[in-house]
Amino acid sequence: MPDTSERLAGWISPKWLVGGVAVGSCALLASYDARLGMAAGALLAVVAAVWLYIALRYGSLSGVPSIRTALVERSSQQAANRRKAVRRSGAQDRADPAERT
């Protein structure tokens, strides 16, 4: 069954971790050489702009319900239905399996 949690170590999302590492490396490059830092910053800005465009157009920021969220909800509903069916059938068990309907 799919898990609703997409967190790394329970408190940080992987996209923010990657973004933080990218900004940190850009700052490290800028402290080493200003031109290299500006080039890395420009590359980071282009990547961020492309990610934002894709997120707004097709992704989670577009307002369209996520397919994954629907799948998680459906699987949890099926699991709840199975538990409910097991509880019902447990009360109706008979000694002879041939007597079950």
Side-chain angles (χ1 to χ4, degrees):
M1 178 163 65
D3 189 15
T4 58
S5 174
E6 292 183 356
R7 301 279 181 186
L8 179 69
W11 63 277
I12 189 167
S13 177
K15 69 179 174 184
W16 297 116
L17 180 64
V18 169
V21 169
V23 168
S25 63
C26 183
L28 185 65
L29 284 173
S31 70
Y32 177 71
D33 183 17
R35 289 183 293 159
L36 194 57
M38 287 189 291
L43 180 65
L44 183 61
V46 167
V47 168
V50 168
W51 175 82
L52 187 61
Y53 172 75
I54 291 172
L56 287 172
R57 178 87 168 132
Y58 304 108
S60 60
L61 300 178
S62 66
V64 177
S66 172
I67 295 172
R68 185 178 185 281
T69 305
L71 178 65
V72 168
E73 288 176 6
R74 188 174 63 195
S75 64
S76 64
Q77 181 62 40
Q78 287 175 349
N81 288 344
R82 286 187 197 110
R83 285 191 299 270
K84 193 174 178 183
V86 166
R87 280 195 306 258
R88 278 190 202 156
S89 68
Q92 296 174 359
D93 279 344
R94 296 183 181 94
D96 188 10
E99 293 179 18
R100 292 184 192 160
T101 56

